[in-house]
Amino acid sequence: MGGPIPGSAIGMPELTTLKARMTSGWRRQEQEYAHGEDFPLSGYAGAMSVYGGLVATIAAAAKLTGRPLPERISPWDTAVTALATHKLSRLLAKDPVTAPLRAPFTTFEGTSGPAELAEDVRVSGPRKTIGELVTCPFCIGMWVSTGFTAGYVFAPRATRLAATTLAVLAGSDFLQFGYAYAEQKAA
């Protein structure tokens, strides 16, 4: 048990020491970076690893199933997907109906705008990272746009339908704000 790993020159005690040194060095780096604040640098590293693994899995699945990458994404698809990413990110991060998804990581603080909630991340450690991810439309937007991009590889027609639906909803929201503004100016 304490001998070298087959095919390696490093034994278990050396691996344990190496792991302890790496862990200690990472914790020191995290504390120096955060200046003593609760900043989940390890959680962010974990989230980046999960994201990288997800992208690698999508790429491997495309290769294994023989799905070709699109020659190009049209400017129209790009614009629609940008609007859809914006809308779905805000729905996931701010909408009252999606609050149950965020509830394990947040505390309700009030409203932050029409049909949007203000929530505070209420946990620490890796769960804090998830809380920050699911309450930040900018942060979750990367994951959403990756989902749409994967959709263009695996199910382009369904992806276009979903993206168009969300883009139309985003356009409707902007029109609602414009209408409300015009009503206020007329009053």
Side-chain angles (χ1 to χ4, degrees):
M1 189 144 158
I5 296 173
S8 124
I10 300 176
M12 287 302 241
E14 291 88 1
L15 281 177
T16 303
T17 302
L18 180 61
K19 180 184 175 197
R21 270 198 245 147
M22 288 178 65
T23 302
S24 171
W26 175 257
R27 286 199 179 116
R28 185 177 60 254
Q29 185 68 39
E30 190 172 29
Q31 289 171 348
E32 289 172 7
Y33 182 81
H35 299 289
E37 297 204 20
D38 184 22
F39 189 82
L41 197 59
S42 291
Y44 293 152
M48 287 186 339
S49 297
V50 169
Y51 179 81
L54 176 67
V55 170
T57 300
I58 291 168
K63 178 101 171 138
L64 289 171
T65 60
R67 305 265 184 195
L69 295 178
E71 285 292 320
R72 65 182 181 86
I73 304 285
S74 74
W76 177 253
D77 281 340
T78 302
V80 168
T81 303
L83 283 169
T85 296
H86 163 78
K87 186 60 191 171
L88 185 53
S89 297
R90 291 207 76 80
L91 284 171
L92 292 171
K94 299 289 185 184
D95 197 89
V97 174
T98 57
L101 301 174
R102 299 183 304 271
F105 312 101
T106 63
T107 302
F108 174 75
E109 296 289 320
T111 57
S112 63
E116 291 194 344
L117 300 181
E119 295 167 316
D120 191 33
V121 177
R122 67 179 168 112
V123 294
S124 61
R127 288 182 60 199
K128 180 174 182 165
T129 304
I130 296 169
E132 290 183 359
L133 177 67
V134 300
T135 58
C136 171
F138 298 98
C139 306
I140 198 84
M142 184 67 192
W143 297 73
V144 169
S145 65
T146 299
F148 279 119
T149 302
Y152 282 116
V153 173
F154 293 100
R157 290 179 63 187
T159 301
R160 282 187 186 94
L161 180 62
T164 300
T165 301
L166 288 162
V168 168
L169 183 57
S172 173
D173 288 350
F174 288 117
L175 289 171
Q176 296 291 354
F177 284 124
Y179 185 84
Y181 179 78
E183 278 187 318
Q184 288 176 351
K185 286 295 182 187

mmCIF file of all heavy atoms in Angstrom, residues 1-2 12 20 26 46-47 53 59-60 64 73 87 92 98 105 109 114 122 131 134 138 164 167 170 173 181-182 187:
data_model
loop_
_atom_site.group_PDB
_atom_site.id
_atom_site.type_symbol
_atom_site.label_atom_id
_atom_site.label_comp_id
_atom_site.label_asym_id
_atom_site.label_seq_id
_atom_site.Cartn_x
_atom_site.Cartn_y
_atom_site.Cartn_z
ATOM 1 N N MET A 1 0.813 -1.193 0.000
ATOM 2 C CA MET A 1 0.000 0.000 0.000
ATOM 3 C C MET A 1 0.856 1.256 0.000
ATOM 4 O O MET A 1 0.510 2.234 -0.617
ATOM 5 C CB MET A 1 -0.917 -0.007 1.225
ATOM 6 C CG MET A 1 -1.925 1.080 1.182
ATOM 7 S SD MET A 1 -3.398 0.401 1.896
ATOM 8 C CE MET A 1 -4.260 1.746 2.395
ATOM 9 N N GLY A 2 2.002 1.205 0.695
ATOM 10 C CA GLY A 2 2.868 2.368 0.742
ATOM 11 C C GLY A 2 3.917 2.356 -0.335
ATOM 12 O O GLY A 2 4.717 3.263 -0.421
ATOM 13 N N MET A 12 3.011 6.217 -2.518
ATOM 14 C CA MET A 12 1.840 6.836 -1.872
ATOM 15 C C MET A 12 2.218 7.938 -0.879
ATOM 16 O O MET A 12 1.579 8.972 -0.884
ATOM 17 C CB MET A 12 0.989 5.765 -1.185
ATOM 18 C CG MET A 12 0.230 4.919 -2.188
ATOM 19 S SD MET A 12 -0.806 5.949 -3.208
ATOM 20 C CE MET A 12 -2.369 5.284 -2.810
ATOM 21 N N ALA A 20 -0.856 17.412 -0.220
ATOM 22 C CA ALA A 20 -0.933 18.332 0.918
ATOM 23 C C ALA A 20 -0.286 19.675 0.576
ATOM 24 O O ALA A 20 -0.820 20.737 0.903
ATOM 25 C CB ALA A 20 -0.266 17.714 2.148
ATOM 26 N N TRP A 26 -2.765 26.218 -2.624
ATOM 27 C CA TRP A 26 -3.999 26.762 -3.195
ATOM 28 C C TRP A 26 -4.759 27.575 -2.153
ATOM 29 O O TRP A 26 -5.228 28.678 -2.435
ATOM 30 C CB TRP A 26 -4.880 25.646 -3.746
ATOM 31 C CG TRP A 26 -6.200 26.181 -4.226
ATOM 32 C CD1 TRP A 26 -7.400 26.100 -3.586
ATOM 33 C CD2 TRP A 26 -6.436 26.946 -5.405
ATOM 34 N NE1 TRP A 26 -8.369 26.739 -4.311
ATOM 35 C CE2 TRP A 26 -7.797 27.278 -5.443
ATOM 36 C CE3 TRP A 26 -5.627 27.377 -6.453
ATOM 37 C CZ2 TRP A 26 -8.372 28.008 -6.463
ATOM 38 C CZ3 TRP A 26 -6.212 28.113 -7.475
ATOM 39 C CH2 TRP A 26 -7.560 28.422 -7.467
ATOM 40 N N GLY A 46 -13.934 25.435 -9.735
ATOM 41 C CA GLY A 46 -14.798 24.277 -9.953
ATOM 42 C C GLY A 46 -15.815 24.525 -11.049
ATOM 43 O O GLY A 46 -16.053 23.664 -11.906
ATOM 44 N N ALA A 47 -16.415 25.719 -11.059
ATOM 45 C CA ALA A 47 -17.397 26.056 -12.095
ATOM 46 C C ALA A 47 -16.742 26.070 -13.473
ATOM 47 O O ALA A 47 -17.318 25.586 -14.451
ATOM 48 C CB ALA A 47 -18.050 27.410 -11.806
ATOM 49 N N GLY A 53 -15.690 20.795 -18.858
ATOM 50 C CA GLY A 53 -16.110 19.408 -19.048
ATOM 51 C C GLY A 53 -17.376 19.307 -19.880
ATOM 52 O O GLY A 53 -17.497 18.415 -20.734
ATOM 53 N N ALA A 59 -18.619 18.461 -27.448
ATOM 54 C CA ALA A 59 -17.755 18.248 -28.615
ATOM 55 C C ALA A 59 -17.577 16.759 -28.888
ATOM 56 O O ALA A 59 -17.646 16.315 -30.046
ATOM 57 C CB ALA A 59 -16.402 18.921 -28.400
ATOM 58 N N ALA A 60 -17.370 15.970 -27.836
ATOM 59 C CA ALA A 60 -17.206 14.518 -28.012
ATOM 60 C C ALA A 60 -18.486 13.876 -28.543
ATOM 61 O O ALA A 60 -18.439 13.017 -29.429
ATOM 62 C CB ALA A 60 -16.798 13.873 -26.693
ATOM 63 N N LEU A 64 -18.772 11.773 -31.889
ATOM 64 C CA LEU A 64 -19.221 10.381 -31.853
ATOM 65 C C LEU A 64 -20.482 10.135 -32.676
ATOM 66 O O LEU A 64 -20.675 9.054 -33.226
ATOM 67 C CB LEU A 64 -19.449 9.925 -30.413
ATOM 68 C CG LEU A 64 -18.186 9.743 -29.568
ATOM 69 C CD1 LEU A 64 -18.554 9.507 -28.099
ATOM 70 C CD2 LEU A 64 -17.335 8.601 -30.104
ATOM 71 N N ILE A 73 -22.795 30.291 -38.713
ATOM 72 C CA ILE A 73 -24.067 30.669 -38.093
ATOM 73 C C ILE A 73 -24.432 31.995 -38.759
ATOM 74 O O ILE A 73 -23.639 32.931 -38.764
ATOM 75 C CB ILE A 73 -23.931 30.846 -36.565
ATOM 76 C CG1 ILE A 73 -23.362 29.596 -35.890
ATOM 77 C CG2 ILE A 73 -25.247 31.269 -35.947
ATOM 78 C CD1 ILE A 73 -24.306 28.445 -35.748
ATOM 79 N N LYS A 87 -32.810 37.032 -22.929
ATOM 80 C CA LYS A 87 -34.101 36.800 -22.274
ATOM 81 C C LYS A 87 -34.058 35.592 -21.354
ATOM 82 O O LYS A 87 -34.520 35.658 -20.202
ATOM 83 C CB LYS A 87 -35.206 36.626 -23.333
ATOM 84 C CG LYS A 87 -36.591 36.521 -22.720
ATOM 85 C CD LYS A 87 -36.899 37.775 -21.925
ATOM 86 C CE LYS A 87 -38.135 37.635 -21.084
ATOM 87 N NZ LYS A 87 -38.310 38.766 -20.171
ATOM 88 N N LEU A 92 -33.987 33.068 -15.974
ATOM 89 C CA LEU A 92 -33.384 32.155 -15.002
ATOM 90 C C LEU A 92 -32.857 32.881 -13.768
ATOM 91 O O LEU A 92 -32.983 32.387 -12.650
ATOM 92 C CB LEU A 92 -32.244 31.363 -15.659
ATOM 93 C CG LEU A 92 -32.662 30.358 -16.715
ATOM 94 C CD1 LEU A 92 -31.432 29.805 -17.432
ATOM 95 C CD2 LEU A 92 -33.497 29.229 -16.114
ATOM 96 N N THR A 98 -39.049 31.482 -11.560
ATOM 97 C CA THR A 98 -37.874 30.606 -11.439
ATOM 98 C C THR A 98 -37.191 30.733 -10.080
ATOM 99 O O THR A 98 -36.143 30.124 -9.855
ATOM 100 C CB THR A 98 -36.858 30.882 -12.573
ATOM 101 O OG1 THR A 98 -36.482 32.256 -12.532
ATOM 102 C CG2 THR A 98 -37.436 30.523 -13.934
ATOM 103 N N PHE A 105 -30.044 28.736 -2.706
ATOM 104 C CA PHE A 105 -28.804 29.494 -2.679
ATOM 105 C C PHE A 105 -28.992 30.967 -2.346
ATOM 106 O O PHE A 105 -28.016 31.697 -2.214
ATOM 107 C CB PHE A 105 -28.118 29.392 -4.053
ATOM 108 C CG PHE A 105 -28.042 27.983 -4.569
ATOM 109 C CD1 PHE A 105 -28.939 27.526 -5.521
ATOM 110 C CD2 PHE A 105 -27.086 27.110 -4.081
ATOM 111 C CE1 PHE A 105 -28.882 26.227 -5.992
ATOM 112 C CE2 PHE A 105 -27.022 25.808 -4.541
ATOM 113 C CZ PHE A 105 -27.920 25.361 -5.493
ATOM 114 N N GLU A 109 -34.970 39.464 -1.312
ATOM 115 C CA GLU A 109 -34.721 40.808 -0.785
ATOM 116 C C GLU A 109 -35.811 41.796 -1.201
ATOM 117 O O GLU A 109 -35.928 42.843 -0.615
ATOM 118 C CB GLU A 109 -33.360 41.321 -1.284
ATOM 119 C CG GLU A 109 -32.167 40.510 -0.797
ATOM 120 C CD GLU A 109 -31.898 40.707 0.687
ATOM 121 O OE1 GLU A 109 -32.009 41.847 1.169
ATOM 122 O OE2 GLU A 109 -31.594 39.704 1.349
ATOM 123 N N PRO A 114 -39.599 45.627 -12.964
ATOM 124 C CA PRO A 114 -40.831 44.956 -13.368
ATOM 125 C C PRO A 114 -40.605 43.459 -13.583
ATOM 126 O O PRO A 114 -39.754 43.061 -14.377
ATOM 127 C CB PRO A 114 -41.210 45.645 -14.677
ATOM 128 C CG PRO A 114 -40.505 46.962 -14.640
ATOM 129 C CD PRO A 114 -39.241 46.713 -13.866
ATOM 130 N N ARG A 122 -26.971 33.477 -0.063
ATOM 131 C CA ARG A 122 -27.004 33.262 1.379
ATOM 132 C C ARG A 122 -26.106 32.156 1.897
ATOM 133 O O ARG A 122 -26.179 31.803 3.063
ATOM 134 C CB ARG A 122 -28.427 32.993 1.842
ATOM 135 C CG ARG A 122 -29.014 31.695 1.339
ATOM 136 C CD ARG A 122 -30.423 31.559 1.899
ATOM 137 N NE ARG A 122 -31.130 30.499 1.227
ATOM 138 C CZ ARG A 122 -31.477 29.373 1.827
ATOM 139 N NH1 ARG A 122 -31.187 29.164 3.078
ATOM 140 N NH2 ARG A 122 -32.139 28.460 1.152
ATOM 141 N N GLY A 131 -24.904 30.056 -6.251
ATOM 142 C CA GLY A 131 -25.816 31.167 -5.989
ATOM 143 C C GLY A 131 -25.482 32.390 -6.817
ATOM 144 O O GLY A 131 -26.373 33.047 -7.369
ATOM 145 N N VAL A 134 -26.454 31.636 -10.532
ATOM 146 C CA VAL A 134 -27.881 31.604 -10.874
ATOM 147 C C VAL A 134 -28.611 32.914 -10.616
ATOM 148 O O VAL A 134 -29.754 33.064 -11.015
ATOM 149 C CB VAL A 134 -28.629 30.430 -10.182
ATOM 150 C CG1 VAL A 134 -28.041 29.106 -10.592
ATOM 151 C CG2 VAL A 134 -28.654 30.585 -8.669
ATOM 152 N N PHE A 138 -25.589 37.971 -16.401
ATOM 153 C CA PHE A 138 -24.359 38.023 -17.184
ATOM 154 C C PHE A 138 -23.583 36.717 -17.053
ATOM 155 O O PHE A 138 -23.006 36.225 -18.015
ATOM 156 C CB PHE A 138 -23.471 39.196 -16.742
ATOM 157 C CG PHE A 138 -24.122 40.535 -16.929
ATOM 158 C CD1 PHE A 138 -24.751 41.163 -15.873
ATOM 159 C CD2 PHE A 138 -24.098 41.164 -18.165
ATOM 160 C CE1 PHE A 138 -25.351 42.401 -16.038
ATOM 161 C CE2 PHE A 138 -24.696 42.400 -18.348
ATOM 162 C CZ PHE A 138 -25.330 43.012 -17.280
ATOM 163 N N THR A 164 -36.183 31.825 -31.356
ATOM 164 C CA THR A 164 -37.114 32.811 -31.901
ATOM 165 C C THR A 164 -38.195 33.150 -30.884
ATOM 166 O O THR A 164 -38.552 34.324 -30.710
ATOM 167 C CB THR A 164 -37.732 32.302 -33.220
ATOM 168 O OG1 THR A 164 -36.671 32.080 -34.158
ATOM 169 C CG2 THR A 164 -38.725 33.295 -33.790
ATOM 170 N N ALA A 167 -36.624 35.364 -28.327
ATOM 171 C CA ALA A 167 -36.303 36.669 -28.918
ATOM 172 C C ALA A 167 -37.566 37.517 -29.067
ATOM 173 O O ALA A 167 -37.553 38.727 -28.807
ATOM 174 C CB ALA A 167 -35.610 36.483 -30.268
ATOM 175 N N ALA A 170 -38.381 38.834 -25.716
ATOM 176 C CA ALA A 170 -37.498 39.964 -25.380
ATOM 177 C C ALA A 170 -37.958 41.228 -26.100
ATOM 178 O O ALA A 170 -38.013 42.315 -25.496
ATOM 179 C CB ALA A 170 -36.057 39.637 -25.743
ATOM 180 N N ASP A 173 -40.952 42.581 -24.386
ATOM 181 C CA ASP A 173 -40.579 43.282 -23.139
ATOM 182 C C ASP A 173 -40.137 44.716 -23.434
ATOM 183 O O ASP A 173 -40.551 45.654 -22.752
ATOM 184 C CB ASP A 173 -39.440 42.550 -22.424
ATOM 185 C CG ASP A 173 -39.876 41.250 -21.783
ATOM 186 O OD1 ASP A 173 -41.096 40.969 -21.717
ATOM 187 O OD2 ASP A 173 -38.981 40.495 -21.340
ATOM 188 N N TYR A 181 -43.220 53.955 -20.827
ATOM 189 C CA TYR A 181 -42.511 55.252 -20.864
ATOM 190 C C TYR A 181 -43.372 56.311 -21.568
ATOM 191 O O TYR A 181 -43.501 57.426 -21.099
ATOM 192 C CB TYR A 181 -41.162 55.089 -21.549
ATOM 193 C CG TYR A 181 -40.384 56.363 -21.662
ATOM 194 C CD1 TYR A 181 -39.705 56.869 -20.565
ATOM 195 C CD2 TYR A 181 -40.329 57.068 -22.879
ATOM 196 C CE1 TYR A 181 -38.980 58.064 -20.668
ATOM 197 C CE2 TYR A 181 -39.615 58.244 -22.978
ATOM 198 C CZ TYR A 181 -38.946 58.735 -21.865
ATOM 199 O OH TYR A 181 -38.237 59.908 -21.977
ATOM 200 N N ALA A 182 -43.966 55.916 -22.700
ATOM 201 C CA ALA A 182 -44.809 56.853 -23.456
ATOM 202 C C ALA A 182 -46.020 57.277 -22.637
ATOM 203 O O ALA A 182 -46.418 58.450 -22.679
ATOM 204 C CB ALA A 182 -45.247 56.214 -24.779
ATOM 205 N N ALA A 187 -48.762 61.651 -19.452
ATOM 206 C CA ALA A 187 -49.537 61.997 -18.250
ATOM 207 C C ALA A 187 -49.124 63.319 -17.654
ATOM 208 O O ALA A 187 -48.250 63.986 -17.844
ATOM 209 C CB ALA A 187 -49.394 60.914 -17.205
#
